[in-house]
Amino acid sequence: MPAAQYAASRHAVWLGAAAIITDEVGRVLLVHPTYRKDDSWLLPGGVVEPGEHPHVTCRREITEELGLDLPLSAVLAVHSFSAHHPDLQPGTTFPGEVRFVFDGGALIPDQVQAIRLPREELSEYAFLETREAVQRLRRIDGRIMLAAYRARLGNTATAHLADGRHILDVPALDRHNVHVRYRPMWDSPLNRDPVPDRLPVQQAWAWCFVPDVMQADSVSRRLVSQAQVLGQPPGSLPQTVAGCHGSRSPFPKGSTAPPAIPSPRARMPAV
């Protein structure tokens, strides 16, 4: 076959690149384009130009859209988009697309403050919990975002998708439809202050009260291997206390294992 004929016979598709970028508590960054009639949002990213590698595209687009120069640490997802997918806008001439989604890392507050948008292209940005982010994305974009986000969250292999569906075994976080909920520190049960003197905990990264109404199951058995669960003596604190591993063992001096639990059903913290 002549070279020109062979080249013409090869399947041609669009190439795209995007990034999962979060803030320090795991909310995903979306941008709001001015050119979409359906008012949907996007992950930062864009179109691969002729002769350009997808990872180069992703870094270039992040710089153009956000004003940041971010390293990319992993390929989180690769998505193949067919030419006849129902999410296509009417009248679009489209040969199909392969999209790469990279890990753009977590931004510290100074980097967030440094974000600068090209106002003719993007009107605003937002850090959103995954449930809310899905609502602002087109359906197919939401599936890609979740697969990539969960690959990063679970530290699993690159997700491979076709038309928004996994083509290999569905990872556990996708199978169970896991989302991450942001909880500001003032709403957290963990206390960053020193452990009170009256509690026999040697050292902890954090500590929390465990509500008595929360009874144990398999989660509590895992908790016992990691934390000291103290019995509740009469007239003492109204709730059980769980100490977490710190730089030294949280168990009593001279002990290498958790103390005996006064009840066969220990108590566990709410999550």
Side-chain angles (χ1 to χ4, degrees), residues 21-188:
I21 302 170
T22 67
D23 61 9
E24 290 184 307
V25 295
R27 294 177 296 187
V28 65
L29 174 62
L30 298 185
V31 291
H32 190 206
T34 58
Y35 51 82
R36 278 195 163 182
K37 295 181 179 180
D38 62 359
D39 202 39
S40 60
W41 292 55
L42 289 166
L43 291 172
V47 175
V48 177
E49 295 181 351
E52 192 175 43
H53 292 294
H55 71 282
V56 175
T57 298
C58 192
R59 293 196 65 172
R60 172 179 57 77
E61 289 286 346
I62 289 172
T63 301
E64 292 176 0
E65 294 184 350
L66 305 177
L68 302 176
D69 182 16
L70 301 180
L72 305 175
S73 60
V75 180
L76 299 176
V78 177
H79 179 260
S80 176
F81 196 163
S82 72
H84 306 292
H85 194 278
D87 270 5
L88 289 172
Q89 297 299 300
T92 302
T93 302
F94 181 70
E97 182 189 58
V98 176
R99 187 181 307 173
F100 295 80
V101 184
F102 296 91
D103 187 351
L107 302 185
I108 62 175
D110 285 349
Q111 289 175 304
V112 174
Q113 292 296 321
I115 291 176
R116 298 293 182 269
L117 302 179
R119 293 298 178 181
E120 70 282 357
E121 180 181 352
L122 303 173
S123 61
E124 58 183 316
Y125 70 89
F127 288 95
L128 304 168
E129 296 177 10
T130 51
R131 289 186 187 276
E132 184 179 358
V134 167
Q135 300 302 315
R136 300 200 190 189
L137 296 164
R138 289 179 182 169
R139 181 175 57 178
I140 190 70
D141 293 336
R143 291 175 180 175
I144 298 169
M145 181 276 294
L146 284 176
Y149 186 95
R150 290 164 176 165
R152 174 173 134 174
L153 182 66
N155 195 28
T156 54
T158 300
H160 291 81
L161 303 97
D163 288 341
R165 299 186 182 278
H166 288 273
I167 62 174
L168 303 175
D169 292 339
V170 179
L173 297 184
D174 290 271
R175 190 165 63 249
H176 296 289
N177 195 30
V178 170
H179 289 268
V180 175
R181 182 166 66 92
Y182 167 58
R183 297 185 69 181
M185 283 307 300
W186 53 262
D187 191 32
S188 171

Side-chain angles (χ1 to χ4, degrees), residues 189-196 199 201 204-209 241-244:
L190 298 180
N191 295 273
R192 300 292 180 177
D193 299 327
V195 178
L199 300 181
V201 177
W205 286 332
W207 58 276
C208 61
F209 289 112
V241 177
C244 304

